[in-house]
Amino acid sequence: MTLKLPSRQSRFGRRMLWILFLCVVTPGILLGYLSLRRVDAKLRDDALRRMRHQTHEVALSIHNGLGFLEEKGLFLAALIDSSAGPAGLEWLSKNRLVLGVSSFRRGVGPETLYGKPCPPPPTDSGSLAHLAAGKGLLYLDRGAGGTFRGFIACAMRGTPPDREMLLVEVNLEYIWEEVRDAIPPLSEAVILSPDGEILFATGAAPPGLLERIGQIRGKTHLGEFEWEKPDPLLVFHAMVFLKPSLHSEPWTVAVFQPRSASFGAVGRFTRILFLVSLLVVFSAALFAIVQVRRNVAPLELLEEGTRRISGGDFESRIEIGSGDEFEELAQSFNGMADRLGREFRVQEALGKTVQAILGETDRERIVRALLDNVASVVPCDCAALSLLETDGTENVADTRIRGESSAGREESACLTMHLRQDEIDRLKSAKTSVAAEPDREFREYLSHWPLPRPETFLLSPLVSHGELTGVLLLGHRKACVPGGNVLVRLRQIADQTAIALSRARLVDELNENDLGTLQAFSRAVDTNSPWTAGHSQRVTALAMEIGRELGLPAREIDVLHRGGLLHDIGKLGIPPAILDKPGKLTEEEFAVIRRHPSSGAEILRPIPSLGKIIPIVEQHHERFDGSGYPVGLAGEAISLNARIVAVADVADALSTDRPYRPGWPQEKVLSYLLENSGRQFDPSAAAAFLRVAERADNGSPAVFQV
């Protein structure tokens, strides 16, 4: 499918212009809105900060004024006491701070000494204790006209306050003057009594504002809020705590000012921002009109093409004639689509081929599946599989050929071919497949090919256990130089074929033998590497000893016997180069090793009579704590027989020499088993082995073979 660039007059192009225009306008409006919000928030924070400072100044003025008046009251109490009477108080008429003086005696009541009579003060225990400490006591009284009068009670020197005290009416106007001086222009203040009544206000408060302050002040001692009716106001309120100094409940100070007084600059900023935003939007719109067709439309095509390829449509192509980098990108995209399509088809065919090969356990079916599918992975004119059989004097290769004749008909043939020893050595040492011309290389081997012979052959060896077991051949009628990836893919198919044939041979042998052949199989497994000779027999003996120690019945001992012999049968598919490697295995090599339990189980699964030993083969590398392989089973989810064989397997492996380390002494092996009991090993199986080892005389061969 080909995607072409839309014309400039298409509805898609016009729609994209509008979208781009909106995408420019919307951010501009959003930026302006966010900027206004930030300026508004900044101005509001600054205004509240100033009002907080103003409220603090007002509270400080109240404290200072009341403190000064308290000093006057204490002075009068000391003066009257020292003069032994109220004589001479007429001079207070010249002092506007004191409006009246009365004495208060227990059982007598207030006695006016000067000015207006003073009402009695609170006489609770807290108030009397405060007076006894030599401090003044502030209390309020609403007068006949509804205005509040302020009084300070003081203890007379040398007389307990519960017997006699001096009451002084102070002029609160002195404090209100201090408050007026602390309030800047455009701001108003109101002072509330502990009961929420207005003590003083610089101006009229809006209806409902005082009720709102009264609701809030019971929850917090200071705070701010906005009042919207009738005009927006910013309000800050705080409590003036008088308890420590004058034993009075706190007063409340509220300072408020019109919101417009703080936000006048926002209007000017809004007008400037609008003009700047309009200019930016206009410039961006012009640029968008010029660039939209050159940028957006090609990108849309590339996105659509990518989506189609990700959905498996590798025939999708893009045509862009813009003459710039977008056209070059479209050409690169089309080339990438071609390569991806070819690679996807090859990988799909490779997967099907490998699946078809590994899905069979019969030799003839494996050969048929290989020859039917290999040409879909590596294109060729003919394919053949030679299976090598050495008769002692000659290396005979039974060869099956599949291909097309010059007339286009599919033909098959079976013939016998021969390989010289140098040709076998060349194939065994090859890292990948080998490209050869029949007149130059492998002349003896390829001379048996029926005429007309292909110009070029690709040979891929089938190696099992380090020995050449066959050759996969692909023929090309015309001379060619195959790429490296072709040779690698062909070798992958050959390796999987070698594994499948090796497994098929093993299954055939197992089907033909009874229980007496298990010993031979165990020896075949051990001889795969010179380092594991006798390993299966020793593991079997140890496992049976552990089973007897655990009191298992005879039928389970027999299962241990069979399973111990074949527990490593999956290693038949592992190349000796990995098994005998003296150094550390690579991740890929270790992954091959980790597959051998599963491979061994798969080998035995078609044999019903060996079904009971499959858990041993498949689980003997599982760990008791669940960190083993291939599945990660833990605890009793692992077969008991597999847990027993796991102990015996590790004990023998550690005590014998391996290419990567010498065998461990008996004491070190026993220590390892003890340390890993409950983690790698079943504690009961490990304990049983330790008891068996303890009874052995100096490491009996039934227990250790070092």
Side-chain angles (χ1 to χ4, degrees):
M1 178 179 180
T2 300
L3 302 177
K4 296 184 178 180
L5 189 64
S7 66
R8 296 178 181 270
Q9 302 301 322
S10 67
R11 289 179 297 175
F12 172 78
R14 292 194 298 270
R15 186 164 59 250
M16 290 303 299
L17 288 175
W18 279 108
I19 291 175
L20 265 181
F21 180 75
L22 292 177
C23 288
V24 173
V25 173
T26 302
I29 295 175
L30 181 60
L31 178 62
Y33 172 74
L34 293 177
S35 300
L36 286 174
R37 288 293 302 272
R38 289 182 63 86
V39 171
D40 182 90
K42 182 65 168 59
L43 292 176
R44 183 180 185 277
D45 292 342
D46 291 344
L48 291 174
R49 191 180 301 110
R50 290 193 302 271
M51 294 175 65
R52 186 182 296 109
H53 180 70
Q54 294 167 9
T55 304
H56 177 73
E57 292 292 330
V58 171
L60 187 61
S61 299
I62 293 174
H63 269 291
N64 291 338
L66 290 175
F68 180 72
L69 294 176
E70 179 191 18
E71 292 177 359
K72 290 293 183 182
L74 294 173
F75 171 75
L76 287 175
L79 180 65
I80 293 173
D81 179 66
S82 62
S83 60
L89 293 182
E90 290 78 7
W91 58 271
L92 290 175
S93 61
K94 299 178 181 180
N95 188 342
R96 66 185 186 90
L97 298 178
V98 178
L99 301 179
V101 179
S102 300
S103 66
F104 181 82
R105 294 181 178 85
R106 184 175 60 184
V108 178
E111 178 185 352
T112 303
L113 303 179
Y114 167 76
K116 298 179 182 181
C118 299
T123 57
D124 57 274
S125 59
S127 300
L128 294 177
H130 185 80
L131 290 170
K135 300 180 181 179
L137 175 67
L138 173 67
Y139 64 100
L140 300 173
D141 183 66
R142 185 187 292 273
T147 60
F148 280 92
R149 299 167 62 193
F151 304 91
I152 295 179
C154 303
M156 305 289 282
R157 180 180 299 178
T159 305
D162 58 344
R163 293 179 54 191
E164 184 179 7
M165 64 183 75
L166 186 70
L167 310 179
V168 179
E169 181 181 0
V170 295
N171 189 357
L172 294 179
E173 188 61 31
Y174 167 75
I175 298 175
W176 309 148
E177 288 294 335
E178 297 289 330
V179 172
R180 289 189 186 95
D181 293 340
I183 297 298
L186 301 179
S187 296
E188 302 291 345
V190 61
I191 313 299
L192 301 179
S193 70
D195 297 329
E197 301 290 339
I198 297 178
L199 297 177
F200 170 74
T202 59
L209 178 60
L210 298 182
E211 289 78 2
R212 174 64 173 165
I213 295 174
Q215 295 171 359
I216 296 177
R217 69 173 187 158
K219 302 177 181 179
T220 176
H221 68 277
L222 60 86
E224 71 270 354
F225 62 89
E226 293 191 24
W227 185 257
E228 300 294 339
K229 300 177 182 179
D231 297 320
L233 298 175
L234 291 178
V235 183
F236 191 91
H237 65 89
M239 287 186 178
V240 182
F241 294 99
L242 303 174
K243 197 75 171 180
S245 59
L246 295 169
H247 198 68
S248 174
E249 296 301 321
W251 294 1
T252 301
V253 177
V255 177
F256 55 91
Q257 69 177 26
R259 197 175 188 276
S260 58
S262 302
F263 293 85
V266 176
R268 295 189 297 273
F269 179 78
T270 302
R271 290 190 293 271
I272 296 174
L273 181 63
F274 175 76
L275 294 176
V276 173
S277 300
L278 186 63
L279 179 61
V280 171
V281 169
F282 179 74
S283 302
L286 290 179
F287 179 79
I289 293 173
V290 175
Q291 295 295 325
V292 65
R293 296 303 302 160
R294 297 190 60 187
N295 296 324
V296 176
L299 289 175
E300 185 74 17
L301 289 177
L302 289 169
E303 181 183 5
E304 176 65 15
T306 303
R307 185 184 63 80
R308 290 181 178 276
I309 287 181
S310 65
D313 182 10
F314 296 104
E315 301 301 323
S316 178
R317 299 294 180 269
I318 295 176
E319 291 185 6
I320 298 178
S322 58
D324 55 11
E325 289 83 356
F326 283 115
E327 184 174 352
E328 296 176 2
L329 184 59
Q331 295 173 356
S332 299
F333 180 89
N334 293 336
M336 178 193 69
D338 287 335
R339 291 189 296 273
L340 284 176
R342 290 194 300 268
E343 186 64 23
F344 179 81
R345 288 188 290 271
V346 168
Q347 292 298 328
E348 185 178 27
L350 177 60
K352 291 181 178 179
T353 300
V354 172
Q355 184 178 10
I357 294 171
L358 296 180
E360 298 291 347
T361 56
D362 180 75
R363 173 174 169 171
E364 293 299 323
R365 291 181 179 178
I366 292 174
V367 174
R368 191 182 310 118
L370 172 65
L371 298 180
D372 287 343
N373 294 280
V374 66
S376 63
V377 180
V378 181
C380 60
D381 297 314
C382 56
L385 179 64
S386 293
L387 298 179
L388 192 64
E389 297 180 4
T390 303
D391 60 2
T393 58
E394 295 185 3
N395 297 310
V396 180
D398 183 15
T399 305
R400 311 287 180 87
I401 300 176
R402 179 79 57 81
E404 292 185 359
S405 65
S406 58
R409 295 189 303 271
E410 182 176 306
E411 296 181 346
S412 299
C414 298
L415 66 154
T416 300
M417 303 172 68
H418 301 270
L419 286 107
R420 298 197 309 267
Q421 188 59 44
D422 61 322
E423 294 174 335
I424 292 177
D425 295 338
R426 168 72 191 283
L427 289 171
K428 285 172 59 177
S429 63
K431 300 295 184 182
T432 62
S433 303
V434 177
E437 297 180 7
D439 295 335
R440 296 184 179 181
E441 293 184 276
F442 300 96
R443 296 178 62 180
E444 173 66 24
Y445 177 48
L446 298 177
S447 64
H448 301 281
W449 195 279
L451 298 175
R453 297 190 188 94
E455 292 290 330
T456 302
F457 283 96
L458 301 182
L459 294 82
S460 189
L462 277 66
V463 179
S464 178
H465 308 298
E467 297 296 330
L468 185 70
T469 60
V471 182
L472 175 60
L473 300 93
L474 301 185
H476 297 269
R477 295 193 183 97
K478 297 181 180 179
C480 64
V481 179
N485 58 340
V486 173
L487 298 177
V488 170
R489 281 197 293 267
L490 185 59
R491 182 59 184 266
Q492 291 175 340
I493 297 175
D495 290 342
Q496 295 299 325
T497 303
I499 294 174
L501 290 173
S502 176
R503 185 175 62 179
R505 285 193 298 270
L506 180 59
V507 171
D508 289 341
E509 293 172 3
L510 289 175
N511 287 334
E512 294 173 358
N513 291 281
D514 57 10
L515 182 61
T517 62
L518 294 181
Q519 187 71 27
F521 275 118
S522 68
R523 293 176 181 176
V525 173
D526 291 347
T527 56
N528 196 28
S529 170
W531 302 93
T532 58
H535 170 70
S536 296
Q537 288 79 7
R538 293 192 299 271
V539 169
T540 301
L542 287 174
M544 294 172 68
E545 287 292 333
I546 295 172
R548 295 187 185 99
E549 181 67 21
L550 291 173
L552 297 184
R555 62 178 181 277
E556 293 299 324
I557 300 298
D558 183 63
V559 173
L560 286 173
H561 187 186
R562 295 166 177 261
L565 290 173
L566 297 182
H567 75 281
D568 272 343
I569 196 168
K571 289 185 178 179
L572 289 174
I574 300 177
I578 297 178
L579 292 175
D580 299 340
K581 184 175 181 179
K584 183 179 179 180
L585 297 179
T586 65
E587 292 183 3
E588 293 78 7
E589 292 170 338
F590 189 62
V592 174
I593 293 292
R594 288 170 64 96
R595 287 199 296 267
H596 87 269
S598 299
S599 299
E602 289 302 317
I603 292 172
L604 300 180
R605 212 174 299 279
I607 307 176
S609 62
L610 300 181
K612 291 184 178 181
I613 73 170
I614 290 178
I616 296 176
V617 176
E618 192 171 26
Q619 300 173 10
H620 72 280
H621 278 289
E622 300 284 3
R623 299 169 67 101
F624 195 76
D625 60 2
S627 62
Y629 62 89
V631 180
L633 300 177
E636 294 186 357
I638 307 171
S639 157
L640 174 60
N641 290 333
R643 285 178 267 159
I644 293 173
V645 171
V647 174
D649 186 28
V650 172
D652 182 77
L654 293 177
S655 62
T656 55
D657 292 335
R658 294 299 165 96
Y660 46 88
R661 57 150 178 81
W664 289 5
Q666 175 178 338
E667 293 77 13
K668 187 175 181 180
V669 175
L670 294 177
S671 176
Y672 178 87
L673 292 173
L674 183 61
E675 291 174 359
N676 288 275
S677 176
R679 291 181 300 192
Q680 183 176 354
F681 308 111
D682 181 352
S684 62
F689 174 81
L690 294 175
R691 292 194 299 270
V692 171
E694 186 178 0
R695 288 198 303 269
D697 295 331
N698 300 321
S700 167
V703 180
F704 284 96
Q705 181 67 38
V706 180

